[in-house]
């Protein structure tokens, strides 16, 4: 065995390390993740740009209480896309640079976000059903209840699509991290 001075690599005669760029499965999984993370990052940056444009063109001439509410609502509206953009930028970076530990961190953060999304939507739906079932509905309000039901159904579809995308991202992140680690440990004997 040879030890190359100045590096921590041990070269074993008769073997050639596999490059990550040569493995088709690694490249395919990486490409899918880069496309999805790139689209999500672009959407978040677009959301931030729309917020900035909207906040510079809108002026508040209302009372102080409603101005305080608008300021708090704008802070949340601005913070959420910024944090999402930072997260997707991190995900894009670790995917692009083949960091298996970073991919696992991204996958676990996506798991936490998925669980929180499921819990919040479930609690919201249960609360909505309890409120609707416990209150006698006047005939004039019947159309509002119908519209609310349609809104809950549309939100349910959006949450379901979001969950499917997050589950796919979680699986692909773990798969790519596993493939990268497997390719770092494998070497092919020369013929």
């Amino acid at each position: 065995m040879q030890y190359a001075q100045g590096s921590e690599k041990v070269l074993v005669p008769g073997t050639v390390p596999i490059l990550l760029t040569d493995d088709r499965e690694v490249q395919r999984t990486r490409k899918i993740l880069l496309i999805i993370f790139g689209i999500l990052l672009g959407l978040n940056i677009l959301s931030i740009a729309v917020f900035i444009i909207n906040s510079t063109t809108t002026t508040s001439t209302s009372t102080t209480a409603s101005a305080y509410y608008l300021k708090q609502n704008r802070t949340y509206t601005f913070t959420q896309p910024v944090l999402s953009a930072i997260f997707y930028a991190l995900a894009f970076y670790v995917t692009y640079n083949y960091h298996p530990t970073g991919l696992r961190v991204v996958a676990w953060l996506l798991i936490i976000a998925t669980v929180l999304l499921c819990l919040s939507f479930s609690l919201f739906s249960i609360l909505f059903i309890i409120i609707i079932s416990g209150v006698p509905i006047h005939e004039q309000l019947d159309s509002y209840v119908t519209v609310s039901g349609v809104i809950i159904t549309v939100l349910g579809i959006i949450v379901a699509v979001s969950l499917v995308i997050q589950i796919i991202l979680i699986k692909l992140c773990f798969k790519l991290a596993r493939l990268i680690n497997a390719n770092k440990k494998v070497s092919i004997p020369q013929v």
Side-chain angles (χ1 to χ4, degrees), residues 20-93:
L20 291 174
T21 56
D22 293 340
D23 191 353
R24 288 178 158 254
E25 191 172 3
V26 169
Q27 288 305 310
R28 183 176 53 243
T29 306
R30 180 176 172 256
K31 185 186 290 186
I32 293 169
L33 280 173
L34 286 174
I35 289 170
I36 295 173
F37 287 140
I39 290 170
L40 293 173
L41 179 61
L43 289 174
N44 279 296
I45 291 172
L46 181 67
S47 176
I48 293 168
V50 166
F51 173 80
I52 291 171
I53 291 169
N54 189 25
S55 66
T56 57
T57 59
T58 307
T59 58
S60 175
T61 57
S62 54
T63 63
T64 57
S66 62
Y68 175 76
Y69 173 74
L70 285 174
K71 180 180 177 186
Q72 294 299 332
N73 192 23
R74 285 185 179 173
T75 302
Y76 170 75
T77 306
F78 183 69
T79 305
Q80 192 274 330
V82 168
L83 291 176
S84 293
I86 291 170
F87 172 73
Y88 290 123
L90 168 75
F92 192 87
Y93 173 78

Side-chain angles (χ1 to χ4, degrees), residues 27-190:
Q27 288 305 310
R28 183 176 53 243
T29 306
R30 180 176 172 256
K31 185 186 290 186
I32 293 169
L33 280 173
L34 286 174
I35 289 170
I36 295 173
F37 287 140
I39 290 170
L40 293 173
L41 179 61
L43 289 174
N44 279 296
I45 291 172
L46 181 67
S47 176
I48 293 168
V50 166
F51 173 80
I52 291 171
I53 291 169
N54 189 25
S55 66
T56 57
T57 59
T58 307
T59 58
S60 175
T61 57
S62 54
T63 63
T64 57
S66 62
Y68 175 76
Y69 173 74
L70 285 174
K71 180 180 177 186
Q72 294 299 332
N73 192 23
R74 285 185 179 173
T75 302
Y76 170 75
T77 306
F78 183 69
T79 305
Q80 192 274 330
V82 168
L83 291 176
S84 293
I86 291 170
F87 172 73
Y88 290 123
L90 168 75
F92 192 87
Y93 173 78
V94 298
T95 303
Y96 185 77
N97 290 323
Y98 301 100
H99 293 297
T101 305
L103 285 165
R104 285 189 189 91
V105 168
V106 166
W108 280 106
L109 288 174
L110 282 170
I111 289 172
I112 292 169
T114 303
V115 168
L116 291 176
L117 177 67
C118 289
L119 287 176
S120 64
F121 183 73
S122 298
L123 291 176
F124 177 72
S125 298
I126 290 170
L127 181 65
F128 178 75
I129 291 170
I130 289 172
I131 290 172
I132 293 299
S133 65
V135 177
I137 300 170
H138 194 271
E139 290 178 12
Q140 295 174 343
L141 299 177
D142 194 30
S143 64
Y144 292 119
V145 172
T146 305
V147 169
S148 300
V150 170
I151 290 173
I152 289 294
T153 304
V154 169
L155 284 176
I157 292 169
I158 292 171
V159 168
V161 169
S162 175
L163 287 175
V164 168
I165 291 171
Q166 286 183 342
I167 289 169
I168 289 170
L169 286 174
I170 291 167
K171 283 183 162 185
L172 290 175
C173 283
F174 279 130
K175 178 181 178 181
L176 185 59
R178 181 180 45 82
L179 289 171
I180 291 170
N181 279 340
N183 281 341
K184 283 184 179 179
K185 295 178 183 175
V186 175
S187 48
I188 300 174
Q190 275 186 339

